[in-house]
Amino acid sequence: MDLSFTPSEQAFRAEARAWLAANVPPGPYPSGDTREGYAWHVQWEKKLFAAGWSAVSWPAAYGGRDASLIAWLIFEEEYYRAGAPARVIQNGIFLLAPTLFEFGTEEQKERILRPMAAAEVHWAQAWSEPEAGSDLANVRSTAERVDGGWRVSGQKTWCTRGAFCDAIYGLFRTDPATERHRGLTYMMVDLHQPGVTVRPVERLDGDESFAEIFLDGAFVPDRDVIGQVHQGWKVAMATTSSERGLSLRSPGRFLATTTRLVDLYRRHPDPALRDRIADVWIQARAYQAYTYQTVTRMMAGGGIGADSSLNKLYWSELDLQTHTLALDLLGPQAELLADAPDAVDHAEWLLGFAFALAGPIYAGTNEVQRNIVAARVLDLPRG
Amino acid sequence: MHFAFTEEQQQIGDAVRDALADACPAGVVRAAWAAPDTAVRSLLADLGVLGLNLPEAVGGLGLGMVDAVLPLTEAGRAAAPVALVETIATNPTLAAIGEADLAAQVATGEAFVTLRAPGGYAVDADRAALVLVVEGDRVGVVRAPRLVAQPAVDGSRRLFAVEGDVEPTDADGRELLDRAALAAAAQLVGLSHHMLAMAVDYAKTRRQFGAPIGSFQAVQHHLVDALLRVRFAAPTVAQAAWHVDAGTAEASLQVAMATSLAADAASLTARKALQVHGAIGYTFEYDLHLWMKRAWSLSAAWGDARAHRARVADHLLGAPDA
């Protein structure tokens, strides 16, 4: 055990910190979940990519830096410490890309990864359907075999930033004789074609970043199938494991938020809340320690598996506690929107609270995560 | 950055685990309520655990707190009726105050040194060759203590109020108390693992409504909540131990973080394990209470979770009245 950073890890951190200090634009930023804001964020993503910071742990051949997972965690810590813009391309680089690295063909990696990291082609996840929320295996969308590929039909929903994206990835039933998690195939679908209708859905915070996507015979060429036909469930589980476990919500995010909470306390002190402030600050650092331990294991060849559900429970509940506490500190200012004259920190705590409320829902509800941990980590009998 | 125990550290932990599984079943823990244990302590001496962090010159292994984490965790898992927190905490102090002969006897199990918790009591003080206390930021020695027994909820923890002349030393009191809190935290992780394992086993076998109760989501989620807290506390204990060994400026803060998380995890796990067991867990005959009571004791004796969070809050936010 050596919890100090190596000279090369320290040099990497210094380089990232210096670049971010020189390049992160002054806030506040527009929301990346509106059409105009998304366009602004894409320009930032292009700048990140040009400097080689978009996906540091990827091979250089695809626009990364061949950085270790430890270095990636360091970059994330520095990124959030600098208060840099939220990553609007995260559902590509952090969710689809790990799947391509594990199951994709060379042709797919060559074709897809670099434009993804360069924010030239924009990717949205398309897991949920009206009848497949927590019960993802209840997918009803179908794919019918045709010459050179598949014709897909059905409805996908809650596709984050789907209204601004070029393509989606998700599961389609390729074997009509099957049920549940058998007979599904993991596919990528181009949204710019006949047979695709994208309808934005307003979220409770007023942004239009949700989308419903209606598919009516849209074409998916064979080259856009990831992994084996009918083996999509296995491929998808690899992605959801990344999403819950590590890549989507690295510790840097919560280290930064809890540090900003301490700063908020200095401006809005309330001695009755000291214990809770210390508690969330400690938990963010526990998540960091746990993650360095996990990554050390992964670098030695280990996996995450169902432990990723524990991560998801921990960060989502911590994030909600943290933002709830911030609103408690703010008292009468808690409800103010950014354009209110008395708004504190551009209302970021209220917006953060609204977003934190989604944490226990997205990426698989926390109730489902607890079921997964019960079955697969504690080996309890299934109900 | 490399966050993992070495193979050797894991082997020592496994050896302690295996030895205690044989020599310290629940019946031995229970028996220690009536007659103070000597056999388990002697076993830990044979395994090198009592002298783990004493210099090799006095018969110790010359190791540090990181090396002690897994043996302490395993002693917690077995609820070993041994005042190991006191031994691991006071060992480096003995070397610092020139008690080399006594240290050599501690390593073999011939002698025992105890430590009075701040504002509290000293375990097994009637059997101790020396009682250490912390006054201000320094360690003091009480050589001729007047003791008053203070029966406690965990019958294997024989507590005493300590009075008597305190001989001052230059040894650092904060470091001593940090080692004690950290040793307690490591034991709390082990205690939690065992309570959770008991509850999981029970939930798999106990049937109601025609099914094992562990198949019901309400029961499953209790157990997952406990697991979640234990899983995220454990690495902070290892991390704090590393900072203590490395002597970093934030070592004491790291101990406060780890102890608050481990104490909260153990308290929650005790609560959830009892709830899942139902009435059987509430009996004296069933073993769960032996572990619960140790968890209650250790999660408060060296500063409870709130006290350690207050230390963190002072660091982050300044003193409360500032």
Side-chain angles (χ1 to χ4, degrees):
Chain A
M1 183 173 299
D2 183 357
L3 306 188
S4 59
F5 292 99
T6 65
S8 75
E9 287 164 351
Q10 289 176 42
F12 180 84
R13 185 187 292 279
E15 187 188 353
R17 186 174 291 191
W19 187 87
L20 289 163
N23 290 282
V24 169
Y29 312 125
S31 166
D33 293 338
T34 63
R35 186 167 294 279
E36 308 74 40
Y38 190 82
W40 183 92
H41 279 266
V42 167
Q43 293 313 307
W44 165 251
E45 291 287 352
K46 288 182 187 300
K47 189 169 181 173
L48 265 184
F49 179 77
W53 296 111
S54 179
V56 295
S57 62
W58 289 13
Y62 304 126
R65 290 183 178 233
D66 290 305
S68 70
L69 283 174
I70 296 284
W72 174 73
L73 289 174
I74 290 170
F75 175 74
E76 289 271 301
E77 288 178 10
E78 292 303 318
Y79 191 85
Y80 285 100
R81 181 179 173 277
R87 302 295 306 275
V88 296
I89 66 165
Q90 65 175 18
N91 286 359
I93 58 173
F94 292 153
L95 304 185
L96 176 56
T99 308
L100 287 169
F101 281 120
E102 193 168 345
F103 296 96
T105 63
E106 286 309 310
E107 184 278 327
Q108 286 172 333
K109 287 187 275 187
E110 284 290 333
R111 172 165 54 95
I112 295 167
L113 289 170
R114 183 176 277 272
M116 174 195 290
E120 288 164 3
V121 176
H122 300 266
W123 291 89
Q125 52 79 17
W127 298 122
S128 292
E129 296 184 0
E131 299 304 322
S134 289
D135 186 10
L136 179 59
N138 201 35
V139 162
R140 300 286 171 82
S141 292
T142 57
E144 190 184 344
R145 197 83 179 100
V146 294
D147 192 27
W150 303 81
R151 290 279 172 194
V152 295
S153 297
Q155 182 183 350
K156 299 289 185 181
T157 191
W158 320 133
C159 304
T160 301
R161 291 182 281 274
F164 324 133
C165 284
D166 303 304
I168 56 172
Y169 51 90
L171 292 173
F172 294 85
R173 194 162 297 284
T174 39
D175 181 351
T178 60
E179 288 187 343
R180 310 294 301 161
H181 53 274
R182 288 174 295 275
L184 298 172
T185 300
Y186 194 119
M187 296 181 177
M188 300 178 281
V189 184
D190 182 0
L191 295 177
H192 306 302
Q193 63 168 312
V196 176
T197 307
V198 178
R199 190 178 79 83
V201 177
E202 200 171 0
R203 298 190 316 201
L204 66 79
D205 59 9
D207 288 352
E208 288 206 331
S209 83
F210 272 161
E212 285 182 307
I213 296 177
F214 300 89
L215 302 165
D216 182 12
F219 183 64
V220 174
D222 284 328
R223 67 176 194 164
D224 284 343
V225 170
I226 305 178
Q228 299 294 309
V229 170
H230 304 332
Q231 297 297 316
W233 185 259
K234 180 182 154 200
V235 179
M237 288 304 101
T239 307
T240 54
S241 192
S242 309
E243 177 177 17
R244 294 166 190 154
L246 191 61
S247 58
L248 189 65
R249 298 288 179 259
S250 77
R253 187 180 184 111
F254 308 102
L255 296 173
T257 309
T258 51
T259 299
R260 284 207 310 282
L261 183 69
V262 167
D263 174 65
L264 181 68
Y265 181 93
R266 293 182 191 283
R267 290 177 283 139
H268 298 265
D270 180 347
L273 300 179
R274 290 170 63 90
D275 184 61
R276 285 169 59 200
I277 301 267
D279 189 29
V280 296
W281 190 88
I282 291 168
Q283 287 188 62
R285 278 134 197 93
Y287 185 47
Q288 180 190 35
Y290 184 86
T291 304
Y292 276 117
Q293 184 190 60
T294 301
V295 162
T296 299
R297 198 174 64 233
M298 290 172 75
M299 288 168 71
I304 296 188
D307 280 2
S308 65
S309 294
L310 286 164
N311 279 43
K312 202 261 166 168
L313 291 168
Y314 202 80
W315 61 249
S316 61
E317 290 171 7
L318 168 60
D319 201 34
L320 191 49
Q321 286 174 46
T322 305
H323 284 91
T324 303
L325 187 45
L327 297 191
D328 288 349
L329 283 174
L330 285 169
Q333 278 80 48
E335 64 176 307
L336 298 181
L337 295 175
D339 48 4
D342 285 355
V344 176
D345 296 343
H346 311 288
E348 69 167 62
W349 295 105
L350 177 62
L351 295 172
F353 170 73
F355 187 64
L357 282 171
I361 300 171
Y362 64 72
T365 65
N366 284 14
E367 289 73 18
V368 169
Q369 302 312 316
R370 283 183 162 83
N371 293 351
I372 292 170
V373 173
R376 293 178 53 197
V377 181
L378 293 177
D379 195 28
L380 287 164
R382 289 178 193 272
Chain B
M1 168 63 64
H2 183 81
F3 202 130
F5 289 107
T6 63
E7 217 165 284
E8 193 181 3
Q9 285 162 343
Q10 280 170 351
Q11 283 166 359
I12 295 175
D14 290 347
V16 173
R17 181 179 186 160
D18 293 346
L20 289 174
D22 284 345
C24 187
V28 169
V29 180
R30 187 179 289 270
W33 283 47
D37 160 80
T38 53
V40 181
R41 187 161 195 95
S42 166
L43 171 72
L44 291 175
D46 294 345
L47 289 167
V49 175
L50 299 186
L52 185 141
N53 57 342
L54 283 171
E56 289 174 87
V58 298
L61 298 180
L63 300 173
M65 287 305 288
V66 174
D67 306 284
V69 166
L70 294 178
L72 284 161
T73 302
E74 294 308 330
R77 190 192 306 273
V82 174
L84 194 56
V85 167
E86 286 74 5
T87 299
I88 294 294
T90 58
N91 275 347
T93 306
L94 291 183
I97 64 176
E99 294 280 355
D101 291 345
L102 181 56
Q105 292 177 315
V106 168
T108 60
E110 293 165 73
F112 168 69
V113 173
T114 194
L115 171 64
R116 184 179 70 189
Y121 309 100
V123 174
D124 288 345
D126 60 334
R127 296 200 284 169
L130 214 57
V131 179
L132 300 186
V133 297
V134 173
E135 298 207 327
D137 58 358
R138 296 292 149 191
V139 178
V141 180
V142 184
R143 292 190 189 274
R146 292 185 297 281
L147 304 177
V148 178
Q150 303 277 353
V153 67
D154 175 353
S156 73
R157 275 171 61 84
R158 302 167 55 258
L159 299 186
F160 294 88
V162 177
E163 283 184 25
D165 293 337
V166 177
E167 187 181 302
T169 77
D170 286 337
D172 191 299
R174 181 73 259 162
E175 290 178 7
L176 173 57
L177 294 180
D178 280 344
R179 283 194 299 274
L182 183 55
Q187 292 214 319
L188 287 165
V189 169
L191 285 157
S192 300
H193 280 311
H194 185 80
M195 290 188 287
L196 183 59
M198 282 183 83
V200 167
D201 284 347
Y202 185 77
K204 285 180 183 172
T205 52
R206 169 67 179 168
R207 295 178 70 87
Q208 288 285 271
F209 306 103
I213 62 169
S215 67
F216 303 141
Q217 287 189 351
V219 171
Q220 292 182 345
H221 292 191
H222 278 315
L223 296 169
V224 172
D225 286 343
L227 176 70
L228 185 65
R229 293 297 140 190
V230 181
R231 276 289 183 93
F232 281 84
T236 68
V237 174
Q239 177 166 282
W242 184 86
H243 280 275
V244 167
D245 285 349
T248 72
E250 61 182 289
S252 196
L253 182 70
Q254 291 283 346
V255 170
M257 290 163 56
T259 310
S260 72
L261 292 168
D264 274 349
S267 301
L268 183 78
T269 305
R271 174 84 183 77
K272 297 291 191 185
L274 175 60
Q275 186 67 23
V276 167
H277 277 88
I280 188 74
Y282 203 79
T283 64
F284 196 83
E285 183 187 359
Y286 197 79
D287 293 327
L288 178 64
H289 75 98
L290 301 171
W291 273 257
M292 287 202 298
K293 288 170 180 171
R294 185 71 55 77
W296 298 342
S297 297
L298 287 181
S299 60
W302 303 100
D304 63 15
R306 203 162 53 90
H308 285 285
R309 278 197 298 274
R311 292 213 283 146
V312 175
D314 289 349
H315 167 81
L316 293 175
L317 310 173
D321 298 322

